[in-house]
């Protein structure tokens, strides 16, 4: 099962529905806590938005977590708190910024999951410049943030969080946004050495996305990550960030957005090249099954109904 952008109380819409599916593990594609971030591993939001919100029996399984931009908006302490919570929760697995693991099915099939940190790969986002070498962050343009709040394009709580957690750019010592070359090297090596039947990557930012009026493609990932996926034969990439469910095929890789856990968006370019299916303006999540020759994915809407299904076959 895959769910993203679930870190608020709106996730109560889909959390009970997740209990209708028997799963062995759950992948979180980021934005685990809106809008104030977490201050430490004992922050009450771990209880209110995770432990006490996802209470269905089938969700009492390992969750494999990656960070989203809203998690990084809480500053470095917020990310470290989420990593440290792995030592406090039986379900929460977030050992480091990026990591991998292999799962084995009852039929002997193997799936290699590679969790990446797209914030670090992208050097932050449109609001925050981030340098992965120094781990420094800075607000790109405070006036622009204020304008986004005034026009309704940014939640005032997000603005407050950014202003409290991230410093403004210092003209004398600016943060220069740069890609995470060390992580790119790790990704290339990890993908190249995989021998699993299925090679699955997940992160927060999309590589490709058909949304309109939201984020869309992440240009740096299209340039730097997509060729790696094609070369290594990555079967699927899962992300959040855009608040819809969607399936896009580019090259040899299937790109799935699961970003509608607690946020929803209306606006999809139905003519987007490679777009196969989507769910907009509803909360939802994805359910998967894996065998030696089939990787099956279903889109589940906020009524608990399957509205799209696709099988990747060998």
């Amino acid at each position: 099962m895959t769910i993203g952008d679930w870190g608020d109380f709106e996730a109560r819409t889909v959390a009970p529905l997740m209990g209708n599916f028997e799963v062995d593990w759950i992948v979180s594609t980021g934005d685990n806590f809106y809008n104030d971030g977490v201050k430490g591993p004992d922050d009450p939001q771990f209880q209110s938005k995770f432990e006490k919100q996802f209470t269905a029996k089938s969700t009492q399984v390992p969750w494999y977590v990656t960070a989203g931009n809203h998690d990084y908006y809480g500053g470095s302490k917020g990310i470290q708190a989420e990593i440290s919570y792995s030592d406090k929760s039986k379900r929460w697995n977030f050992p480091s910024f990026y990591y991998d693991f292999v799962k084995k099915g009852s039929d002997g099939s193997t799936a290699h999951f590679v969790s990446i940190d797209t914030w670090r790969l992208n050097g932050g986002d449109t609001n925050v410049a981030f340098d992965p070498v120094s781990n420094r962050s800075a607000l790109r343009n405070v006036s622009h943030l204020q304008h986004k709040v005034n026009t309704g394009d940014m939640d005032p709580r997000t603005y407050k969080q950014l202003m409290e957690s991230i410093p403004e750019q210092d003209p004398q010592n600016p943060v220069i946004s740069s890609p995470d070359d060390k992580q790119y090297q790790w990704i290339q090596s990890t993908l190249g050495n995989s021998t699993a039947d299925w090679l699955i990557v997940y992160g927060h930012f999309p590589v490709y996305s058909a949304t309109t009026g939201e984020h869309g493609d992440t240009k740096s990932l299209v340039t730097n990550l997509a060729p790696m996926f094609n070369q290594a034969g990555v079967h699927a990439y899962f992300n959040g960030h855009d608040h819809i469910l969607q399936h896009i095929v580019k090259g040899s890789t299937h790109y799935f957005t699961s970003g509608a856990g607690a946020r929803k968006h209306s606006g999809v370019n139905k003519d987007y090249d490679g777009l196969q299916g989507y769910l907009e303006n509803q909360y939802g999540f994805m359910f998967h099954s894996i065998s030696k020759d089939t990787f099956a994915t279903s889109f589940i809407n906020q009524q608990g109904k399957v509205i799209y299904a696709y099988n990747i076959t060998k």
Side-chain angles (χ1 to χ4, degrees), residues 65-99:
V65 180
T66 191
N69 56 302
H70 280 273
D71 303 299
Y72 268 97
Y73 286 174
S76 58
K77 289 183 179 180
I79 297 298
Q80 189 55 53
E82 292 194 30
I83 291 174
S84 297
Y85 191 66
S86 301
D87 296 328
K88 300 178 71 69
S89 171
K90 293 181 180 180
R91 291 191 282 172
W92 188 272
N93 293 272
F94 190 5
S96 57
F97 296 128
Y98 45 93
Y99 59 96

Side-chain angles (χ1 to χ4, degrees), residues 230-248:
N230 285 329
Q231 182 179 8
V234 170
H235 296 98
Y237 173 72
F238 289 89
N239 63 269
H241 201 45
D242 279 342
H243 300 145
I244 66 170
L245 306 184
Q246 65 180 332
H247 173 208
I248 293 168

Side-chain angles (χ1 to χ4, degrees), residues 80-221:
Q80 189 55 53
E82 292 194 30
I83 291 174
S84 297
Y85 191 66
S86 301
D87 296 328
K88 300 178 71 69
S89 171
K90 293 181 180 180
R91 291 191 282 172
W92 188 272
N93 293 272
F94 190 5
S96 57
F97 296 128
Y98 45 93
Y99 59 96
D100 67 318
F101 59 94
V102 176
K103 292 291 186 178
K104 189 172 183 178
S106 58
D107 64 346
S109 59
T110 54
H112 188 175
F113 290 84
V114 182
S115 175
I116 64 175
D117 189 318
T118 55
W119 174 271
R120 301 176 75 85
L121 292 177
N122 193 53
D125 66 359
T126 55
N127 299 319
V128 179
F130 178 78
D131 175 18
V133 177
S134 65
N135 281 315
R136 293 173 59 224
S137 301
L139 300 176
R140 294 184 186 272
N141 189 321
V142 173
S143 296
H144 181 60
L145 296 180
Q146 293 170 338
H147 176 73
K148 291 173 73 172
V149 173
N150 293 336
T151 57
D153 293 328
M154 175 176 284
D155 190 309
R157 296 173 296 173
T158 299
Y159 174 79
K160 180 175 181 290
Q161 179 190 18
L162 286 168
M163 295 301 297
E164 291 178 349
S165 302
I166 310 293
E168 295 185 46
Q169 277 282 23
D170 179 357
Q172 303 303 316
N173 186 25
V175 173
I176 306 300
S177 179
S178 60
D180 189 351
D181 292 333
K182 182 178 178 181
Q183 184 184 173
Y184 271 122
Q185 292 171 5
W186 177 85
I187 293 170
Q188 189 169 36
S189 174
T190 301
L191 297 181
N193 291 326
S194 180
T195 59
D197 297 313
W198 298 100
L199 188 51
I200 313 297
V201 183
Y202 64 96
H204 184 63
F205 291 157
V207 179
Y208 299 102
S209 177
T211 57
T212 58
E214 212 174 20
H215 305 103
D217 295 356
T218 306
K219 292 182 180 179
S220 70
L221 302 186

